[in-house]
């Protein structure tokens, strides 16, 4: 019976078109930005390369007290604008656009404008009644220029993910450019040695997060063990993991992962290809040995046995998961 069900699911998987596992649809919107969950740390030194004062590009020091941002001109002594406030505004958690007061020539904060965060290192200030926007690029802290490697977030899809895109959709929605990370995508059928080689090559010593779903979660778990001698991974995220024995084949070795978050579907078996995947493949379920063991959905009243195993984006967007991903940039 189990064999027949496996064959049936395989038949479903080969019935449709297959996309290149490394490509995202052009219409895909990269809307998952974990760093926006908490207060934004925007204090630092910024340059406005197209705004000149006293014969040189303007540099400002942005000070942050709570939600208040104040930009003060960092100009040479004797320059008329030195230490003057250029703009001030209030930014809330998760906001990428907020109102500001802007200093006009020879006046103090006399105009209203809007600040837009284009990415964690770039602010654009538009002023009412003026065309264009002044861009401020942060030059210190995590935004310092250079060739320092970025944290790697490697997504590993489960059975037929190159057809059903359960995890590939999350990979495509995750905004690596905004998060200043590097994203990679693999399938659980890929060669583990080659996956390991590519991850280490791209990370070049930077933190690594492994995100796996279904059979891909089992792959990620076992891959973390092989990376232990290379410093391990900063985060191991297993989304409703599945493997033949319905449990990890070997324990997670000390040093393999600094943090392991396991998300498991608590709704049981559903009568669909998605709902049957765990029952056929051997879902791990709850893993109390994980650093964080999260039931999905958190509210049992919202259980959907036919679809919960495949709700990868909702699992990925659980607040503790997003907080853990946001911490990658902080090391």
């Amino acid at each position: 019976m189990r064999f027949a069900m496996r064959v049936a699911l395989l038949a479903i998987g080969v019935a449709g078109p297959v996309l290149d596992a490394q490509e995202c649809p052009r219409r895909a919107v990269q809307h998952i930005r974990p760093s926006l969950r908490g207060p934004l740390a925007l204090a630092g030194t910024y340059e406005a390369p197209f705004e000149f004062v006293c014969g040189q590009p303007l540099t400002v020091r942005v000070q942050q007290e709570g939600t208040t941002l104040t930009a003060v001109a960092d100009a040479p002594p004797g320059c008329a604008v030195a230490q003057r406030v250029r703009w001030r505004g209030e930014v809330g958690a998760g906001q990428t656009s907020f109102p500001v007061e802007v200093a006009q020539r020879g006046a103090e904060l006399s105009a209203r404008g809007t600040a837009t965060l284009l990415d964690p290192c770039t602010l654009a200030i538009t002023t009412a009644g003026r065309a264009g926007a002044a861009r401020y690029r942060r030059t210190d802290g995590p935004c310092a220029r250079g060739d320092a490697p970025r944290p790697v977030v490697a997504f590993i899809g489960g059975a037929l993910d190159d057809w059903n895109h359960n995890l590939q959709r999350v990979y495509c929605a995750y905004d690596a450019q905004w998060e200043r990370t590097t994203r990679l995508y693999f399938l659980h059928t890929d060669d583990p040695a080659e996956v390991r080689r590519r991850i280490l090559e791209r990370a070049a010593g930077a933190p690594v997060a492994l995100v796996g779903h279904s059979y891909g979660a089992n792959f990620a778990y076992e891959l973390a063990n092989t990376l232990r001698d290379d410093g391990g991974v900063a985060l191991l995220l297993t989304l409703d993991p599945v493997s033949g024995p319905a449990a990890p084949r070997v324990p997670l070795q000390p040093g393999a992962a600094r943090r392991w978050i396991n998300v498991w579907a608590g709704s049981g078996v559903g009568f669909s290809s998605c709902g049957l995947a765990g029952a056929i493949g051997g879902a791990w379920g709850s893993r109390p040995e994980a650093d964080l063991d999260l039931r999905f959905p958190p509210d049992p009243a919202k259980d959907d046995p036919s679809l919960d195993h495949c709700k990868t984006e909702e699992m990925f967007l659980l607040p503790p998961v997003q907080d853990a991903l946001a911490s990658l940039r902080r090391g």
Side-chain angles (χ1 to χ4, degrees):
M1 178 64 177
R2 284 170 64 94
F3 175 78
M5 294 171 76
R6 287 177 191 266
V7 172
L9 283 180
L10 181 59
I12 292 172
V14 299
V18 178
L19 297 178
D20 186 323
Q22 295 289 347
E23 294 182 354
C24 294
R26 292 184 179 181
R27 65 182 181 277
V29 177
Q30 295 178 352
H31 61 274
I32 298 179
R33 298 171 173 176
S35 61
L36 288 180
R37 268 191 40 79
L40 292 170
L42 299 176
T45 301
Y46 291 72
E47 290 182 350
F50 303 109
E51 190 172 350
F52 287 79
V53 295
C54 298
Q56 64 183 34
L58 173 65
T59 298
V60 299
R61 296 190 182 277
V62 175
Q63 303 162 357
Q64 185 168 4
E65 294 185 12
T67 61
T68 302
L69 298 178
T70 304
V72 178
D74 186 15
C79 182
V81 301
Q83 303 307 310
R84 284 192 180 181
V85 174
R86 300 292 292 181
W87 51 264
R88 178 181 290 126
E90 298 280 337
V91 57
Q95 285 186 317
T96 57
S97 183
F98 53 95
V100 291
E101 294 178 290
V102 183
Q104 296 282 57
R105 185 172 298 178
E108 294 287 340
L109 301 179
S110 59
R112 295 189 180 278
T114 301
T116 301
L117 191 62
L118 303 180
D119 62 50
C121 298
T122 310
L123 277 164
I125 307 292
T126 56
T127 304
R130 294 180 62 182
R135 291 202 175 196
Y136 292 79
R137 178 75 183 176
R138 188 173 174 186
T139 59
D140 64 352
C143 302
R145 297 183 185 276
D147 298 322
R150 295 185 175 189
V152 167
V153 182
F155 295 80
I156 303 167
L160 306 179
D161 200 74
D162 52 346
W163 177 78
N164 57 43
H165 316 307
N166 284 326
L167 192 64
Q168 190 192 51
R169 283 194 299 269
V170 179
Y171 161 81
C172 291
Y174 173 74
D175 195 340
Q177 182 174 353
W178 180 280
E179 294 298 312
R180 299 182 67 77
T181 59
T182 297
R183 64 178 186 176
L184 300 174
Y185 176 86
F186 305 98
L187 289 170
H188 80 104
T189 50
D190 287 334
D191 175 37
E194 178 61 16
V195 172
R196 176 179 176 276
R197 184 195 68 78
R198 284 196 57 197
I199 289 174
L200 289 174
E201 180 181 71
R202 295 299 297 273
V208 172
L210 300 179
V211 181
H213 170 244
S214 195
Y215 280 105
N218 177 70
F219 186 107
Y221 179 95
E222 295 183 351
L223 181 63
N225 275 335
T226 71
L227 290 167
R228 183 184 64 165
D229 292 340
D230 301 287
V233 299
L235 175 65
L236 170 63
L237 174 58
T238 52
L239 304 178
D240 206 24
V242 166
S243 65
R249 292 182 176 87
V250 295
L252 191 65
Q253 300 301 308
R258 289 193 284 280
R259 194 175 191 201
W260 172 24
I261 299 178
N262 181 58
V263 182
W264 56 284
S267 53
V269 179
F271 295 100
S272 68
S273 59
C274 181
L276 290 168
I280 296 172
W284 293 7
S286 175
R287 306 311 307 176
E289 67 270 32
D291 296 294
L292 195 57
D293 192 43
L294 302 174
R295 185 195 195 278
F296 178 84
D299 181 1
K302 296 181 179 179
D303 281 356
D304 185 351
S306 293
L307 295 176
D308 281 344
H309 176 73
C310 296
K311 292 182 178 179
T312 48
E313 184 167 324
E314 292 181 40
M315 296 183 199
F316 193 73
L317 288 173
L318 290 171
V321 171
Q322 292 290 287
D323 289 343
L325 288 163
S327 70
L328 287 175
R329 291 183 62 241
R330 299 190 294 267

